[in-house]
Amino acid sequence: MHKLSRLSSSSILRNGGSRYRGVASSISASTSQYDSTGVSDSNKSTSRWYSSITTGRSNSSHSTPKFNLRNGFYLSNRYESTSAAASDATDSPPAEKFEYQAEVSRLMDLIVHSLYSNKEVFLRELISNASDALDKLRFLSVTDPGLMKESSELDIRVQTDKDNGIITITDSGIGMTREEIVDCLGTIAQSGTAKFLKALKDSKDSGSDNNLIGQFGVGFYSAFLVADRVVVSTKSPKSEKQYVWEGEANASSYTIREETDPEKLIPRGTRLTLYLKRDDKGFAHPERVQKLVKNYSQFVSFPIYTWQEKGYTKEVEVDEDPAEVKKEGDDNQIEKKKTKTVVERYWDWELTNETKPLWLRNPKEVTTEEYNDFYKQTFNEYLEPLASSHFTTEGEVEFRSVLYVPAISPTGKDDITNPKTKNIRLYVKRVFISDDFDGELFPRYLSFVKGVVDSNDLPLNVSREILQESRIVRIMRKRLVRKAFDMILGIAMSENPEDYEKFWDNFGKNIKLGCIEDRENQKRLAPLLRFFSSQADEVMISLDEYVENMMPEQKDIYYIASDSLTSAQNAPFLEKLKEKEYEVLFLVDPIDEVAIQNLKSYKEKNFVDISKEDLDMGDKDEEKEKQIKQEFGVTCDWMKKRLGDKVASVQISNRLSSSPCVLVSGKFGWSANMERLMKAQSLGDTSSLDYMRGRRVLEINAEHAIIKNLSVACKSSPDDQEALRAIDLLYNTALISSGFTPENPAELGGKIYEMMGMALSGKWSPAMEAEVMEQSKMINGSEAAIEAEVVPVEAGTGQK
């Protein structure tokens, strides 16, 4: 329906408001003058209208009809079923029959299957349009005070009859004349179904906003989502007569008649009576209606009352048992009558939307306690949020929002893999629309952010397609994401560092995921990252702190990825970097390495993986490197020939100081950590492992004793089996120490056991040593090669 906020006051006054008044009031429901509780209300100072339609049961506590005059209207109590509400008086004039301007069946099909994803939004639509009728009356009464002469009270009342499946929505708004009923309820905003369907298709094709409610008045027709028959009884203050519109679902015509039954006359406004379908009669339960009002229309600016059953306790006398006889001597005692407590049931109006929208208030006037209370009530939380942000965006798109960062992540949920968290509640003109989003307002890595967003620019019938295609939503998303970053950065820069530690423990993975998915905001995400390092293994540091602590000659940001903090600390790749006091970041979370690779650089400093080849530490000595290569070049070729295709090459290392060798990854291949993670993927493609594994390079430490001994063996005995087995064992050991997984662990274990046997034989037993020596003599065919001196050992002394 047309909204008042979309019209200028001058256009309404110039056109008399006939067109827009009818559209807005066609959905509204007005109150009648009958007090269905049957209780005199003469003690109340304010005037109020009550619906004449009650439940089909009589209230036992108020069985006697009472009458009262209030503001010149006759009030009575009625207990008949609401199913008789549509019956005509015997002397009422005949109803006039009208044909719809367009095919209503096509419209109904479109509403049920295209515009609304669930049926319960019918109450939201009808209440929203009732609110529009009240808004319009209040606006027009500024220039014409006589419109509100009947009563100044503006409210909405919803009454249900669960036994007969009837819902009545009543408001005291502007109402409609007979001409306005024909113009507004008999056509689709005077456009016809063909134009309506064409406009819907054109708007989707062009990607523009599908503001269907305001353009075509389909909000009223949402009543047919749940109702077979709808009766609209309306009275305009500009008309002396009250008219009744009645239509049925899938019908091609409707009727309009004059209301002549005195008991059904209302002073002003509109009353909608919905006769629900058999499968939808559950909507007529009072508690369900109250829940829907609180969910969708909690922040409507006019009071909404629902008809609820209540109770109060009272004491009643209990008849005494005649068998009980008073004892002698108690004649002078005062007789005490026995009583019991009973609950007396009655029906009365209950205010349902008591909460005022916090986001419409001035942020300077809202306290921290109020923000926290609103957060706890809205999202059913028990802990206070880490931060909140209350802001208003003006300009091309206007909306208000209050965002929160929770204290902990939801238990048993993984927001990264399940973006539908229902954490963002979208309102349009204070009417709740939906909290079921799939990344339209926030990217999934920020799905932990909770809050409310209220926009006047979106249509009430927001669907998934509208959210995906709307330019307004894209602008809203961009600004909401920036505000979320500012809020998180505020936590990081707060005086209490424990707050950000708590945030990082719960949502650190989300920020890393953002570095992968959101390239546009990587510069905002990078300062929020935290890592352990070689110089800070107990407290995480930021990238800003790392850059600040860099050595003057250091050009890059160094990191190593590993499966644990301990393995990263003991990795052989760190040896020379530690000597030079270069700090190295430890990436121990599986997502860390991918996040850093997507960032590529930070503040013009490139990220460098120290486990890959061609590591440049900025201290190259070309003369020394040339000399070492000449000395160990033959050894490197000899080792490469032995290892074959296991390595791409054998090179002299500049990153080792205490380890004999290390196995590094190719510059553009997977690191050892990434290779391990990809192998662990349950749905991974193993065929790509050989391709992405890339080249491996064995780097040797020319200063280590083992390498020097092998260099001697290469020159003197290149075919010696012991030397060749030593190369194999050296490679396998480097494979493990570098983070790779050996291809044949059993073979590696056998080689280690063999080397242990050779190293330990005879070490603690001289007799065993002599036996080994003897065997060695026999094998070599020389009896006088080595003389073994055997010294007897005294029992129990353990000494020679």
Side-chain angles (χ1 to χ4, degrees):
M1 305 297 289
H2 282 281
K3 305 299 182 183
L4 184 60
S5 59
R6 298 182 182 275
L7 307 175
S8 65
S9 59
S10 60
S11 65
I12 291 179
L13 296 177
R14 182 170 59 252
N15 298 323
S18 61
R19 175 186 177 187
Y20 300 102
R21 177 168 60 253
V23 175
S25 59
S26 64
I27 292 85
S28 63
S30 68
T31 54
S32 102
Q33 72 269 30
Y34 307 108
D35 184 351
S36 54
T37 63
V39 181
S40 175
D41 200 19
S42 59
N43 294 330
K44 296 183 180 180
S45 59
T46 59
S47 62
R48 181 169 296 172
W49 301 334
Y50 297 90
S51 173
S52 63
I53 298 182
T54 66
T55 59
R57 301 188 303 272
S58 173
N59 297 329
S60 59
S61 60
H62 306 296
S63 57
T64 304
K66 297 186 179 182
F67 307 95
N68 189 16
L69 286 173
R70 183 182 304 138
N71 296 337
F73 295 107
Y74 181 68
L75 302 182
S76 66
N77 191 24
R78 301 177 67 243
Y79 298 110
E80 68 271 21
S81 170
T82 54
S83 61
S87 61
D88 298 334
T90 57
D91 56 346
S92 61
E96 298 181 67
K97 187 175 182 180
F98 295 85
E99 294 292 330
Y100 285 108
Q101 183 179 348
E103 302 88 341
V104 177
S105 59
R106 293 183 63 192
L107 171 63
M108 300 306 168
D109 182 73
L110 183 64
I111 290 177
V112 173
H113 297 98
S114 298
L115 293 184
Y116 301 100
S117 57
N118 55 61
K119 292 184 177 182
E120 64 185 25
V121 299
F122 81 94
L123 190 61
R124 178 197 76 187
E125 297 294 328
L126 299 180
I127 290 179
S128 299
N129 286 282
S131 175
D132 288 345
L134 293 168
D135 261 328
K136 189 165 191 179
L137 175 64
R138 184 167 55 183
F139 177 79
L140 295 177
S141 64
V142 175
T143 56
D144 188 1
L147 296 176
M148 300 185 66
K149 63 181 179 180
E150 305 295 346
S151 176
S152 60
E153 187 168 352
L154 303 176
D155 57 16
I156 303 171
R157 296 178 184 270
V158 184
Q159 193 171 18
T160 59
D161 179 0
K162 65 179 180 181
D163 295 333
N164 297 291
I166 299 175
I167 298 178
T168 304
I169 305 172
T170 311
D171 74 71
S172 54
I174 190 64
M176 287 182 288
T177 63
R178 182 183 179 282
E179 292 76 14
E180 290 169 343
I181 292 176
V182 175
D183 292 341
C184 299
L185 300 187
T187 62
I188 309 173
Q190 306 176 21
S191 63
T193 302
K195 182 178 178 182
F196 174 77
L197 295 175
K198 182 178 183 300
L200 176 62
K201 183 179 182 301
D202 293 343
S203 61
K204 286 187 175 181
D205 293 341
S206 63
S208 60
D209 303 331
N210 302 326
N211 196 347
L212 304 176
I213 294 291
Q215 295 177 7
F216 299 98
V218 297
F220 166 74
Y221 295 101
S222 65
F224 290 100
L225 288 169
V226 296
D228 281 324
R229 182 162 62 100
V230 177
V231 177
V232 181
S233 183
T234 180
K235 170 68 167 61
S236 172
K238 294 185 178 182
S239 175
E240 298 295 332
K241 297 180 180 181
Q242 178 176 329
Y243 294 94
V244 178
W245 180 97
E246 184 171 346
E248 295 183 0
N250 300 322
S252 60
S253 62
Y254 61 93
T255 61
I256 298 178
R257 59 181 172 83
E258 181 183 348
E259 183 63 81
T260 57
D261 189 349
E263 294 184 351
K264 298 179 181 179
L265 294 178
I266 57 177
R268 183 191 67 228
T270 306
R271 180 175 64 238
L272 256 69
T273 305
L274 279 61
Y275 297 87
L276 302 180
K277 302 175 184 177
R278 177 181 300 178
D279 296 338
D280 297 317
K281 289 188 176 181
F283 285 107
H285 197 283
E287 293 182 357
R288 186 171 185 182
V289 166
Q290 187 180 51
K291 182 180 179 181
L292 292 178
V293 171
K294 288 184 176 180
N295 187 37
Y296 288 101
S297 306
Q298 176 77 354
F299 303 108
V300 171
S301 56
F302 296 98
I304 303 175
Y305 296 91
T306 56
W307 189 242
Q308 300 293 326
E309 185 179 17
K310 300 182 179 181
Y312 65 93
T313 58
K314 67 177 183 178
E315 299 289 333
V316 297
E317 295 182 2
V318 180
D319 295 336
E320 294 183 359
D321 188 353
E324 294 183 4
V325 182
K326 293 182 180 179
K327 296 181 180 179
E328 295 181 1
D330 293 340
D331 295 338
N332 296 331
Q333 274 188 338
I334 300 176
E335 183 179 355
K336 295 182 179 179
K337 294 184 178 181
K338 294 183 179 180
T339 61
K340 67 176 181 178
T341 303
V342 297
V343 178
E344 191 74 15
R345 296 289 180 180
Y346 68 99
W347 290 79
D348 197 3
W349 293 109
E350 182 176 323
L351 183 63
T352 305
N353 60 333
E354 296 178 319
T355 306
K356 294 182 180 180
L358 177 140
W359 60 83
L360 294 181
R361 298 168 56 185
N362 189 338
K364 297 180 181 179
E365 299 175 356
V366 185
T367 63
T368 303
E369 290 74 15
E370 289 177 311
Y371 283 123
N372 294 343
D373 291 342
F374 178 78
Y375 168 76
K376 293 177 181 179
Q377 295 173 5
T378 305
F379 300 102
N380 296 322
E381 293 283 350
Y382 62 94
L383 293 177
E384 295 182 353
L386 291 177
S388 63
S389 177
H390 183 187
F391 60 94
T392 300
T393 301
E394 298 178 351
E396 189 177 7
V397 175
E398 296 184 5
F399 66 92
R400 298 172 181 266
S401 179
V402 179
L403 301 179
Y404 296 94
V405 174
I408 59 173
S409 59
T411 305
K413 296 181 180 179
D414 190 350
D415 292 346
I416 295 180
T417 59
N418 180 19
K420 296 182 179 180
T421 57
K422 297 185 180 296
N423 287 342
I424 299 298
R425 296 175 61 87
L426 176 63
Y427 292 81
V428 175
K429 296 182 179 179
R430 302 181 302 279
V431 177
F432 174 67
I433 300 300
S434 177
D435 58 1
D436 184 14
F437 300 109
D438 190 9
E440 287 83 8
L441 292 178
F442 273 98
R444 69 168 182 164
Y445 69 89
L446 288 178
S447 58
F448 61 89
V449 176
K450 297 185 177 184
V452 296
V453 180
D454 187 4
S455 172
N456 292 338
D457 297 323
L458 286 173
L460 283 175
N461 61 316
V462 176
S463 63
R464 179 59 46 79
E465 292 77 12
I466 293 176
L467 286 176
Q468 291 174 347
E469 298 176 4
S470 174
R471 180 183 58 85
I472 297 175
V473 174
R474 291 195 295 269
I475 297 175
M476 290 174 59
R477 172 191 169 107
K478 189 174 182 179
R479 296 182 181 178
L480 287 171
V481 169
R482 288 184 179 180
K483 288 294 182 180
F485 287 146
D486 294 341
M487 187 167 49
I488 298 172
L489 187 61
I491 302 176
M493 299 178 64
S494 65
E495 298 179 355
N496 188 5
E498 295 179 357
D499 289 343
Y500 195 76
E501 292 178 7
K502 187 184 299 183
F503 168 82
W504 187 255
D505 290 340
N506 288 278
F507 308 111
K509 290 183 179 180
N510 296 71
I511 302 301
K512 297 170 186 176
L513 179 64
C515 295
I516 301 172
E517 295 186 340
D518 194 353
R519 294 185 179 274
E520 183 181 353
N521 291 302
Q522 283 182 346
K523 291 184 178 180
R524 295 185 176 89
L525 287 163
L528 304 176
L529 296 174
R530 296 293 184 272
F531 301 101
F532 290 109
S533 73
S534 58
Q535 298 180 8
D537 54 1
E538 295 182 357
V539 180
M540 288 187 167
I541 64 169
S542 65
L543 295 179
D544 288 325
E545 292 174 319
Y546 181 96
V547 173
E548 185 179 349
N549 297 333
M550 287 176 62
M551 302 299 290
E553 66 276 11
Q554 185 177 349
K555 298 179 181 179
D556 302 316
I557 300 176
Y558 300 113
Y559 71 89
I560 181 172
S562 183
D563 58 345
S564 67
L565 187 61
T566 302
S567 60
Q569 291 171 337
N570 298 311
F573 306 100
L574 295 170
E575 294 174 358
K576 272 288 180 68
L577 292 168
K578 284 184 177 180
E579 290 182 359
K580 299 174 69 66
E581 296 184 353
Y582 286 175
E583 191 171 13
V584 180
L585 296 177
F586 294 156
L587 311 186
V588 296
D589 202 12
I591 198 175
D592 287 350
E593 186 174 1
V594 183
I596 290 297
Q597 288 175 352
N598 276 270
L599 286 180
K600 296 182 180 179
S601 64
Y602 183 74
K603 291 186 175 180
E604 299 181 355
K605 306 288 185 180
N606 295 325
F607 289 101
V608 174
D609 187 351
I610 64 172
S611 68
K612 293 190 175 183
E613 63 176 338
D614 296 334
L615 177 64
D616 182 10
M617 292 185 288
D619 58 346
K620 287 186 176 182
D621 188 346
E622 295 182 358
E623 290 295 331
K624 184 177 180 181
E625 288 182 1
K626 185 177 180 181
Q627 181 180 355
I628 294 176
K629 286 181 179 180
Q630 290 178 352
E631 182 179 354
F632 289 90
V634 177
T635 304
C636 292
D637 296 338
W638 175 59
M639 296 178 68
K640 171 63 174 69
K641 181 179 179 181
R642 173 63 181 177
L643 296 175
D645 295 335
K646 294 180 180 179
V647 296
S649 63
V650 178
Q651 301 176 2
I652 305 300
S653 176
N654 64 341
R655 72 186 86 202
L656 298 176
S657 60
S658 59
S659 298
C661 62
V662 69
L663 195 65
V664 299
S665 304
K667 191 172 183 180
F668 300 103
W670 282 339
S671 65
N673 181 69
M674 183 60 66
E675 184 176 324
R676 176 181 57 83
L677 293 175
M678 298 308 296
K679 284 183 178 180
Q681 297 295 318
S682 58
L683 300 177
D685 184 9
T686 56
S687 62
S688 64
L689 291 178
D690 293 336
Y691 173 75
M692 290 303 298
R693 181 183 292 121
R695 46 183 281 146
R696 294 176 180 174
V697 177
L698 180 66
E699 293 188 358
I700 60 176
N701 181 8
E703 303 295 330
H704 199 276
I706 294 177
I707 302 300
K708 290 182 178 180
N709 289 332
L710 285 176
S711 180
V712 173
C714 172
K715 296 175 181 178
S716 60
S717 304
D719 297 327
D720 185 84
Q721 295 300 316
E722 294 294 334
L724 296 178
R725 285 199 297 269
I727 294 176
D728 294 338
L729 184 60
L730 197 67
Y731 167 78
N732 287 305
T733 307
L735 196 71
I736 297 175
S737 64
S738 301
F740 294 97
T741 303
E743 297 177 359
N744 192 343
E747 180 182 356
L748 173 60
K751 292 179 180 179
I752 294 176
Y753 296 150
E754 180 184 357
M755 297 295 291
M756 290 178 63
M758 295 176 60
L760 300 179
S761 71
K763 187 173 182 62
W764 297 284
S765 174
M768 182 65 69
E769 181 179 359
E771 183 179 351
V772 172
M773 290 292 186
E774 188 71 21
Q775 293 178 356
S776 178
K777 290 178 182 179
M778 294 175 62
I779 294 173
N780 294 332
S782 174
E783 296 292 339
I786 301 176
E787 293 184 0
E789 181 181 1
V790 180
V791 181
V793 179
E794 297 181 3
T797 61
Q799 297 178 353
K800 292 183 179 180

